[in-house]
Amino acid sequence: MSKKSIKNELPENYEELKKAANRTGSWRTRLSAVEELGNYNTSQVIDILKVRLTHDPVFQIQEEAFRALLELGENVELPKRKKFELVKGANKVFVRVKKSLPKDHNFDEYLTKLKRMRIDVYDAYEGEKGLDWLEEEWKNLK
């Protein structure tokens, strides 16, 4: 396995990657940005990776930031995976969305409304738990 080439400069698309790493509506975009940022050893990049490590609700992104930071020589620890509420108040959001829809709504309608009302909550749970988990939650909401 070859070691990747680490550059001691900011990437040309730094501002774009910085925005992508902090995009609350797309865990996939954040993951991709973190992966790319891991190739650059600058204080600005390390700061972004540390924020993703400690504050991202999707554990896969925390893991990628952790791995990248270790490769950049940083002394960091991987946070414990959150078992319950990924986003504070998410359970209330789920209930509020369901109650805002007609009684006979379906799961797709629920997801559409959740995305419209709270893309950050949708994104965190879709990325961490998956759509099957969200559907089970929806079925069990009162």
Side-chain angles (χ1 to χ4, degrees), residues 36-124:
E36 190 169 338
L37 286 167
N39 295 313
Y40 297 89
N41 190 1
T42 69
S43 60
Q44 297 98 317
V45 166
I46 288 169
D47 288 346
I48 292 170
L49 293 175
K50 284 182 176 178
V51 168
R52 289 300 98 217
L53 172 66
T54 56
H55 296 296
D56 204 289
V58 177
F59 193 69
Q60 185 179 352
I61 295 168
Q62 289 181 317
E63 286 178 314
E64 183 59 32
F66 173 72
R67 185 198 56 69
L69 286 163
L70 285 180
E71 286 186 13
L72 296 175
E74 294 295 307
N75 184 14
V76 291
E77 290 185 26
L78 184 63
K80 286 187 171 36
R81 180 179 229 138
K82 291 180 182 174
K83 291 183 182 172
F84 302 105
E85 213 175 39
L86 303 177
V87 176
K88 189 173 172 80
N91 292 337
K92 290 178 182 175
V93 171
F94 294 146
V95 170
R96 193 167 54 243
V97 170
K98 185 163 186 167
K99 286 184 175 182
S100 74
L101 291 164
K103 279 244 186 263
D104 63 346
H105 73 273
N106 63 37
F107 181 60
D108 287 335
E109 293 166 324
Y110 174 79
L111 282 184
T112 299
K113 182 96 182 224
L114 177 59
K115 287 179 204 176
R116 203 169 48 245
M117 287 177 70
R118 289 292 303 269
I119 188 68
D120 61 322
V121 172
Y122 167 80
D123 180 71

